[in-house]
Amino acid sequence: MSAPTIAGGTLVRARKALSVSAILRPLPLLVAAALCISPAPTRAQANGNGNGNGAIPTPEEYFGFAMGTSKKLARWDTIVTYFDLIAERSDRVMVDRIGSTTLGNPYLMITMSSPSNLAQLDDIRAASKTLAEGRVSRAEAEALADELPATVVINHDMHSTEVASSQTSVELVYQLATATDDDVQQILDEVVTVLIPSANPDGQIMVGDWYRQIVDTEFDEARMPYLYHSYSGHDNNRDYFQANLVETRHWMEVMWRTAYPQVYLDQHQMGGTGPRMFVPPYPDPMDPDIHPLQWQSLQFMGGGIVADLQRAGKKGVITGQMYRIWGQEGALTGRHHNIVALLTESASANLASPMDVTREQLEGRDDSYGFTMNFVDPWWGGEWTLGDIVDYQMIAAMSVLRQTARFRDQYVMGRWQMASETIARAEAEGPWGWVVPADQADPVAAADMARRLELQGIEVWQVTESFTATPVDPGLRPQNGDPRDLGIWSGDIDPDAESDDEGEGDSAQAGDENDSGDSEDRDAEHPDEDSDADAEGDAGDADSAESRLLEPREIPAGSWVILAAQPGWAAVEDLMMPQGRELLYEYPDGPFMRSYDGAAYTMPMQMGVEALMLDEAADVELVAPSFEPAPVTLPSAREWFAMSTAISQAYHVANRLMAEGVPVSRTDAYFLVDAGHAEAPALLSALAEETGVPVTADPSGLGAIEPMTLSRVGLYQGWAGSMDEGWTRLLLEEYGFAPVTLANEDVRDPNLSDRLDVVIIPSEISLDRLIDGADEEDAPEGYRGGIGEEGVDNLRAFVRAGGTLVTLERADALVLEHFDVPVKNSLEGLSGSEFFTPTSLYRTELDTEHPLAAGSPAEVAAKWAGGRAYEPTGWDGEAGRIRTVGRWATDPDRLLMSGLIVGEEHLAGKANILDVEYGDGHIYMYGFRVQHRAQTTGTFKLLFNALMKAGRRPMMD
């Protein structure tokens, strides 16, 4: 098979050959009538169905209680053995261990379908992959889809305090393994169901064990005092565009390299004093670059779920409100890849204990609770139990499976249609794509970004030879599209036009519209134009396009290319483009509309990576990428091996070397390793090959050289359960800082200065909780208290004696209120109408002469997930000199890099990183999260420099 040519580059990625005749399974006739689905029973009934290896016990027989029984939770290890038993005794069920979790528990994928489907699962997945790629002709797609079962992925137990769905998984597997009714038989014949029964098995165990400890005690509503994912806690579904967690990578393996589903269902829980279940469609605004068939399919399937719940007598179901999820943080990223992705949120009980809800407690939107067309049958209170949640979730899950079975052809062909038309639209509108040069200040971060993009289902290519390209300034991508965008989907694009012999369709020309993909269409700052613009106006457009061209660049071999014309184009646009989100209001003259997730992801900015947008196709061969570091041969060095401090992974290598006893020195620009040290060459060579960090020899102009020692870093944890602590711990561990976890008594230890060089207080811990913690009314014995005033005094003494205290964002309250530092957060007291900042990326200017800024450029993108604007309050107090290391962009018009801001004048020019001299030590106050969720590689160095000895060297005026 010859390689297809796409958008100016030749693709050399191999594709498994497929044959329609390989899909042999006979199918019953599909129901083509209007949607009319009767709910299946929510409690499975045993019938002994198996494959001859013995009857399958009911969940109640196996666990000793029915799933959903109040105050009873099946534990993950027992659930796993039950699933293994079912797989052994049923020819409908396969259990695969995708890998191990953070704490070593099995991460499962359960595949359920008819025996004939399971027998040809590899062929089904190969055909599903081909359709998902969208590059075969309609005729070929229809031939593949004709007898191809649909694939549905169901994801459970993402957030482990939402305890019901892991129990629902048990009920769902049992029903599909044993039931013989017509509905289930049709599901088995027409659908391959892929279940992730727990996206966080570690948390399922931790929460269940905590619940069993407190149930029926006076503390049966006590919060668990530690994270239910070792690193992320509730933030684990915010990892789905970065894949820092091993569980996320397992999920991506299922979604993007194994199952290739057409439909995805994620079942969650929400607060207990509102509607009983949320079902899509989602509320406005949604990303308009996602294919409209996605939104129509969501409304169609969501309506079916609601109808099934209503037929079963389930009240309190709300649609079209509450979960305004635009982008990339959750597991609903499949929407950007043409997968019909549904979220349900059920009202919670008190973990597994019943919850009594009064009518007065019930909350609704706009201070009302009652009938609306989004909420046609309100629930008016009473007892709410774990069994209720399992019932609602079972009805919703079975509804999704039945609808997919009955309208299989729509969903199977729908993914192909969305992919094919998305590719055609991207080819017509442009740009051609993005190039990530291999020769940039941090080439390791560049390779890492490309790898993370591919992990999440985005097509990434690599060039084998250098070429010259003229990039364009992308401007800000407007939220609702440029009015001059072609705005074309199925009606104006024929994906089969001029198909070649491999079925790779080129897009039709876009008529009299801008058919060059002129990236003016993505510039949010152009003037509005008349629809009957004259020739002079057209010339102005050309001038504007010309002005956006940047200087030509030589792109080296080994650079990465992300083409726009790919099935995941909507994801590419969201992740690569600077975003210009629109300011919206909840209602006219009302408050600003808040989104459930961030306003900007823009990975190149977050990761400090240069990515160049190209409108014109490059005449260059594109091959499948390699992310493995090349073999390393150390250069010949007389005195020093050197690694650039601009490379974040160089800090990792330096820490690893010092941990092995190899001395490391540094300057502002380099880490230096003694070339004459006996063990240095072999160890450095191995680490350079592992991490990809380039090593040079004997750089010139070194300046002052300072020997380093491995810093002893303590990270406060206590009983706070801070997600920011978990992410920070993950980051520090991955970069070789080996943080010591600090309990409350550790902070009070008078020998703290003998044990540690640096203490970090993470964000997301209120000052009251840090100092006082939980009392005897809130937590069981052993989980009470905070650092106390004794701990505060000890931290002051630690810094005075030469230690370093690091506060991350909101943790600065400790310093501002207890360290007598003449600084304030100038944002305090501003109203929501004066200052509105959803999670975005804002420009920060650095003092590059300061040691904390070593290795960083003069400007970086700061991730705003809450933040500070520091101002002095005077010249008194105990602090010595206070230096501004970083400040928000001085020019308000340059502050926003991606996202949205109202009230930029309140940030512009204000400090956001401070170095406070305090006795013989330093306090480093970070007014934004330089390490946010271990995602912001571009600002990691600002923290790392504070932790290393060189970050505490004497500072010159």
Side-chain angles (χ1 to χ4, degrees):
M1 179 183 293
S2 61
T5 299
I6 294 184
T10 303
L11 310 185
V12 191
R13 175 177 286 165
R15 175 185 293 148
K16 179 178 178 181
L18 296 173
S19 169
V20 176
S21 62
I23 312 300
L24 302 173
R25 178 189 54 82
L27 295 177
L29 293 174
L30 296 179
V31 176
L35 180 62
C36 181
I37 302 170
S38 59
T42 59
R43 291 288 186 270
Q45 298 177 357
N47 58 27
N49 183 70
N51 60 7
N53 293 327
I56 296 172
T58 67
E60 184 171 5
E61 290 168 343
Y62 189 83
F63 294 95
F65 54 88
M67 295 298 99
T69 300
S70 289
K71 301 185 179 182
K72 298 289 185 181
L73 289 173
R75 199 175 190 267
W76 180 244
D77 51 353
T78 312
I79 291 173
V80 171
T81 59
Y82 183 57
F83 288 154
D84 286 339
L85 175 66
I86 291 178
E88 178 184 336
R89 297 184 179 182
S90 172
D91 54 6
R92 302 176 180 181
V93 178
M94 295 171 50
V95 175
D96 289 295
R97 283 158 171 76
I98 301 300
S100 296
T101 65
T102 299
L103 299 182
N105 290 296
Y107 188 101
L108 301 187
M109 175 183 72
I110 300 177
T111 307
M112 297 167 283
S113 196
S114 68
S116 60
N117 285 341
L118 295 182
Q120 51 188 342
L121 193 57
D122 288 346
D123 289 331
I124 290 170
R125 288 172 172 170
S128 298
K129 178 177 185 290
T130 296
L131 292 174
E133 290 172 343
R135 293 194 175 97
V136 295
S137 68
R138 176 174 290 276
E140 291 173 301
E142 288 174 343
L144 279 175
D146 182 51
E147 296 184 343
L148 180 69
T151 298
V152 177
V153 170
I154 300 177
N155 192 55
H156 278 167
D157 195 39
M158 173 67 73
H159 294 144
S160 300
T161 50
E162 300 164 10
V163 297
S165 62
S166 65
Q167 315 298 291
T168 302
S169 282
V170 173
E171 198 69 40
L172 182 63
V173 173
Y174 176 75
Q175 179 156 316
L176 293 182
T178 63
T180 57
D181 59 89
D182 291 344
D183 273 351
V184 168
Q185 193 58 56
Q186 186 179 36
I187 290 169
L188 295 171
D189 287 340
E190 305 285 358
V191 178
V192 174
T193 302
V194 177
L195 173 67
I196 299 172
S198 177
N200 179 18
D202 299 344
Q204 203 277 348
I205 292 171
M206 285 190 279
V207 171
D209 288 352
W210 172 257
Y211 175 74
R212 283 180 279 273
Q213 178 181 340
I214 64 172
V215 66
D216 291 330
T217 74
E218 60 184 306
F219 303 108
D220 60 0
E221 295 188 12
R223 65 186 291 274
M224 196 171 76
Y226 41 84
L227 296 175
Y228 61 69
H229 182 282
S230 181
Y231 294 121
S232 67
H234 196 81
D235 259 357
N236 55 349
N237 67 333
R238 272 65 174 178
D239 187 48
Y240 279 70
F241 71 102
Q242 281 275 357
N244 283 311
L245 305 177
V246 65
E247 294 84 1
T248 308
R249 295 192 288 273
H250 293 333
W251 182 93
M252 289 178 173
E253 184 67 25
V254 173
M255 290 290 289
W256 311 127
R257 282 169 289 283
T258 303
Y260 305 101
Q262 294 86 33
V263 177
Y264 175 84
L265 172 64
D266 207 337
Q267 295 197 290
H268 284 247
Q269 290 173 223
M270 56 185 176
T273 56
R276 298 299 89 189
M277 178 176 266
F278 162 81
V279 175
Y282 309 102
D284 288 326
M286 289 289 115
D287 189 341
D289 283 334
I290 293 174
H291 196 289
L293 184 56
Q294 165 80 216
W295 309 125
Q296 302 290 9
S297 299
L298 279 169
Q299 294 192 74
F300 180 76
M301 186 168 279
I305 296 172
V306 174
D308 279 355
L309 285 161
Q310 191 68 51
R311 275 188 283 271
K314 303 301 182 183
K315 295 176 174 291
V317 180
I318 194 167
T319 67
Q321 296 185 38
M322 301 179 69
Y323 289 92
R324 187 179 289 124
I325 302 173
W326 171 285
Q328 303 295 320
E329 289 183 358
L332 295 180
T333 54
R335 297 177 303 172
H336 292 76
H337 297 264
N338 311 306
I339 298 167
V340 178
L342 299 107
L343 168 74
T344 66
E345 295 270 357
S346 303
S348 293
N350 182 18
L351 292 180
S353 297
M355 181 178 183
D356 289 317
V357 183
T358 67
R359 181 165 180 162
E360 291 72 26
Q361 288 176 303
L362 292 168
E363 301 168 351
R365 296 290 148 180
D366 303 327
D367 300 319
S368 64
Y369 186 90
F371 175 87
T372 68
M373 284 305 294
N374 297 101
F375 191 47
V376 298
D377 190 10
W379 184 77
W380 294 109
E383 184 180 64
W384 184 251
T385 69
L386 177 64
D388 291 323
I389 307 170
V390 172
D391 283 349
Y392 276 65
Q393 290 182 343
M394 275 294 297
I395 293 169
M398 290 301 295
S399 178
V400 167
L401 295 178
R402 281 196 308 277
Q403 291 186 68
T404 305
R406 295 188 179 189
F407 300 98
R408 174 195 61 84
D409 58 333
Q410 294 184 20
Y411 293 108
V412 172
M413 280 299 292
R415 187 162 187 193
W416 169 84
Q417 180 183 342
M418 287 188 276
S420 179
E421 292 175 359
T422 293
I423 292 169
R425 178 182 174 182
E427 288 176 341
E429 292 188 10
W432 179 70
W434 287 262
V435 173
V436 180
D439 60 343
Q440 49 185 291
D442 191 345
V444 182
D448 188 39
M449 186 185 79
R451 177 183 64 86
R452 291 173 190 268
L453 287 167
E454 187 178 66
L455 275 174
Q456 59 186 290
I458 289 172
E459 296 174 353
V460 177
W461 307 94
Q462 209 162 10
V463 297
T464 58
E465 57 188 18
S466 63
F467 67 99
T468 302
T470 302
V472 296
D473 179 2
L476 290 177
R477 171 190 176 224
Q479 172 173 314
N480 287 322
D482 188 297
R484 289 169 298 165
D485 273 349
L486 299 183
I488 45 179
W489 283 110
S490 55
D492 298 310
I493 289 182
D494 178 4
D496 296 337
E498 302 176 7
S499 298
D500 63 17
D501 60 358
E502 296 299 326
E504 305 294 343
D506 296 328
S507 65
Q509 294 298 312
D512 294 332
E513 297 287 350
N514 186 344
D515 61 4
S516 67
D518 191 320
S519 55
E520 269 190 334
D521 292 342
R522 294 169 298 280
D523 188 347
E525 299 182 357
H526 63 78
D528 291 334
E529 294 183 337
D530 240 322
S531 59
D532 57 350
D534 56 17
E536 182 178 346
D538 293 338
D541 291 347
D543 291 342
S544 175
E546 186 72 23
S547 70
R548 294 177 54 255
L549 294 176
L550 305 177
E551 290 296 318
R553 287 280 300 274
E554 186 71 11
I555 307 298
S559 297
W560 293 272
V561 174
I562 300 98
L563 296 176
Q566 60 172 289
W569 172 69
V572 173
E573 289 271 289
D574 206 33
L575 291 169
M576 297 298 292
M577 286 286 291
Q579 304 296 311
R581 291 291 290 272
E582 182 181 358
L583 181 65
L584 300 174
Y585 298 83
E586 292 289 349
Y587 47 86
D589 299 321
F592 299 135
M593 182 180 289
R594 296 184 178 275
S595 183
Y596 196 78
D597 56 356
Y601 302 91
T602 319
M603 285 181 70
M605 290 181 181
Q606 290 202 57
M607 299 187 71
V609 171
E610 182 183 38
L612 307 174
M613 193 173 87
L614 305 183
D615 271 347
E616 296 298 323
D619 185 15
V620 62
E621 184 181 62
L622 305 178
V623 300
S626 171
F627 302 109
E628 295 298 322
V632 171
T633 301
L634 289 185
S636 177
R638 298 184 307 276
E639 187 173 9
W640 299 110
F641 296 114
M643 300 175 292
S644 170
T645 57
I647 299 172
S648 294
Q649 279 291 339
Y651 292 75
H652 175 201
V653 175
N655 280 330
R656 294 269 296 276
L657 288 168
M658 289 188 287
E660 294 294 330
V662 175
V664 178
S665 300
R666 72 170 288 174
T667 68
D668 281 344
Y670 295 102
F671 292 106
L672 301 173
V673 182
D674 185 353
H677 190 279
E679 298 177 10
L683 185 56
L684 179 59
S685 179
L687 289 172
E689 187 163 328
E690 175 188 329
T691 62
V693 173
V695 178
T696 58
D698 300 316
S700 60
L702 289 177
I705 298 174
E706 182 173 357
M708 297 174 61
T709 58
L710 192 64
S711 291
R712 301 168 301 170
V713 178
L715 177 63
Y716 176 74
Q717 183 181 81
W719 298 119
S722 162
M723 293 178 287
D724 195 52
E725 181 275 329
W727 287 118
T728 304
R729 178 162 33 89
L730 172 64
L731 177 69
L732 298 184
E733 288 175 2
E734 289 188 342
Y735 280 81
F737 285 96
V740 176
T741 295
L742 299 180
N744 293 318
E745 56 269 24
D746 294 318
V747 179
R748 295 190 291 266
D749 183 356
N751 298 315
L752 189 63
S753 295
D754 297 331
R755 298 172 52 199
L756 298 173
D757 303 306
V758 183
V759 171
I760 303 173
I761 309 296
S763 190
E764 298 179 353
I765 305 173
S766 70
L767 188 58
D768 287 345
R769 189 159 193 88
L770 174 67
I771 296 176
D772 299 327
D775 60 24
E776 63 274 5
E777 295 182 359
D778 297 326
E781 187 175 356
Y783 302 101
R784 299 169 184 162
I787 66 173
E789 293 297 336
E790 181 184 354
V792 175
D793 292 342
N794 204 41
L795 285 173
R796 284 196 294 258
F798 168 77
V799 182
R800 290 189 190 110
T804 295
L805 177 65
V806 171
T807 64
L808 300 177
E809 207 242 319
R810 280 179 276 173
D812 61 5
L814 173 67
V815 173
L816 298 179
E817 296 191 27
H818 290 274
F819 277 67
D820 197 19
V821 172
V823 170
K824 70 175 182 179
N825 173 24
S826 66
L827 302 177
E828 289 185 359
L830 292 177
S831 69
S833 60
E834 293 174 295
F835 187 66
F836 178 64
T837 52
T839 303
S840 298
L841 292 159
Y842 302 144
R843 193 180 311 274
T844 282
E845 299 164 352
L846 298 176
D847 175 4
T848 56
E849 299 299 314
H850 193 284
L852 261 63
S856 293
E859 296 183 342
V860 295
K863 184 68 176 284
W864 179 279
R868 299 292 190 261
Y870 295 122
E871 283 186 332
T873 58
W875 305 104
D876 54 350
E878 187 173 346
R881 187 169 61 150
I882 300 176
R883 291 184 60 180
T884 296
V885 181
R887 67 177 71 247
W888 302 111
T890 307
D891 181 355
D893 292 336
R894 297 186 69 244
L895 183 63
L896 177 64
M897 297 181 73
S898 187
L900 175 65
I901 187 170
V902 173
E904 53 266 46
E905 67 275 9
H906 298 295
L907 277 188
K910 304 288 176 54
N912 57 20
I913 304 176
L914 293 180
D915 169 15
V916 179
E917 291 182 359
Y918 196 88
D920 291 332
H922 287 267
I923 303 171
Y924 297 127
M925 300 168 62
Y926 293 89
F928 65 95
R929 298 191 202 177
V930 291
Q931 79 320 348
H932 184 63
R933 294 175 180 157
Q935 296 169 351
T936 53
T937 311
T939 52
F940 288 169
K941 296 183 285 289
L942 296 170
L943 175 62
F944 293 166
N945 283 324
L947 306 185
M948 288 185 155
K949 290 291 188 181
R952 293 172 53 204
R953 58 188 170 179
M955 300 178 185
M956 304 298 293
D957 289 332

